[in-house]
Every structure is written in C-alpha cells, then in structure tokens.
Amino acid sequence: MTLHIETPALLFSATSLILLAYTNRFLTIAQIIRKLKKTYDEEESKSVLLEIKNLNLRLTLIRYMQMFGVLCLFLSVFAMLLLFMDQQVLGIYLFGLSLLALLVSLGISFWEISISIDALRLHLSDLTEKKEDK
C-alpha cells in the first residue's frame, strides 16, 4: 500500500472544523454553568445542582473530544512528515492512528450529544407535566 502525502492533509479541514464546533460547545456550556452557579448561590435548588453536575460531565467529555481531535491532527502532521522523509510504513501506521483518534473523538461526541438530548427531554417533560397539572 502506498500513501501519498496529500492523504493525511485531507484531515486538516475536517479536524479543524470539528475542533471549532467542540470549542463552541465548550464555551456555550461554560456560559450556562456560570449562570446556573449564580442561580444556585441564590436559591440552592437541587434541580439546578443536578443540571450543573450534568453539564460538568459534558465539559469533561468535550475536553476528551478536543484532546483526541488534537491528537488526530498531530498524528496526521507527523504522518505527513514521515511520508515526506520516505518512511512509508511508519507514515501509514501513524495515519491509521490519526484516523483512530478521530473515531474516538467522534464517538465521545456522540455520547455527549446523547447526554445533551436526554437533559433537554427532561426539561420538556417538566413542561408537559406542569401543563397537565393546570
């Protein structure tokens, strides 16, 4: 199998966009946590505390998503360097590892999105229960 130097370069645009999306998710969740913390300091509500714990888990997952995304980019660059130095076999293996890192990052992203959807559904169920009570 022959791998050309352009092949690992294909991951740059995809990985960069993914990392940008991860960063946006992180910033949004951090902003929500700051608001909820302020609310919790005022009310000390158990539901707010549970939301903060949920968001804390999501922040941890986003950190791992970002780490594996950056690892993917790093390994792609390193694979390109090895291919440039005519180290075909090592370049191929590092490119394979970079693809694996991208898969792990995307898998964690899927997990984080499912947690997010579950939390939103919980909020929606609260609304429907309140409507039924009236």
Side-chain angles (χ1 to χ4, degrees), residues 95-110:
F95 181 62
L97 285 175
S98 71
L99 291 175
L100 183 64
L102 182 59
L103 278 173
V104 170
S105 177
L106 292 172
I108 296 170
S109 175
F110 183 77

Side-chain angles (χ1 to χ4, degrees), residues 4-98:
H4 298 282
I5 198 166
E6 299 89 12
T7 306
L10 292 173
L11 287 181
F12 285 172
S13 59
T15 307
S16 298
L17 287 173
I18 287 171
L19 289 173
L20 182 62
Y22 292 169
T23 301
N24 286 339
R25 290 185 75 77
F26 174 81
L27 293 174
T28 302
I29 290 174
Q31 187 177 24
I32 293 169
I33 287 175
R34 286 185 188 100
K35 287 179 185 175
L36 285 174
K37 170 136 179 19
K38 187 176 180 182
T39 303
Y40 181 76
D41 287 343
E42 293 169 0
E43 298 175 16
E44 291 193 18
S45 168
K46 186 177 179 179
S47 64
V48 172
L49 186 60
L50 290 173
E51 282 187 61
I52 291 172
K53 286 182 180 181
N54 177 284
L55 291 170
N56 188 34
L57 171 63
R58 290 177 56 198
L59 280 179
T60 302
L61 292 175
I62 291 172
R63 179 181 61 204
Y64 285 115
M65 290 160 35
Q66 290 173 324
M67 286 172 44
F68 280 103
V70 169
L71 181 63
C72 169
L73 199 55
F74 177 80
L75 291 172
S76 294
V77 171
F78 202 35
M80 287 176 57
L81 179 65
L82 289 172
L83 293 171
F84 180 75
M85 296 178 351
D86 287 326
Q87 299 291 322
Q88 234 351 278
V89 175
L90 282 175
I92 289 171
Y93 283 119
L94 276 184
F95 181 62
L97 285 175
S98 71

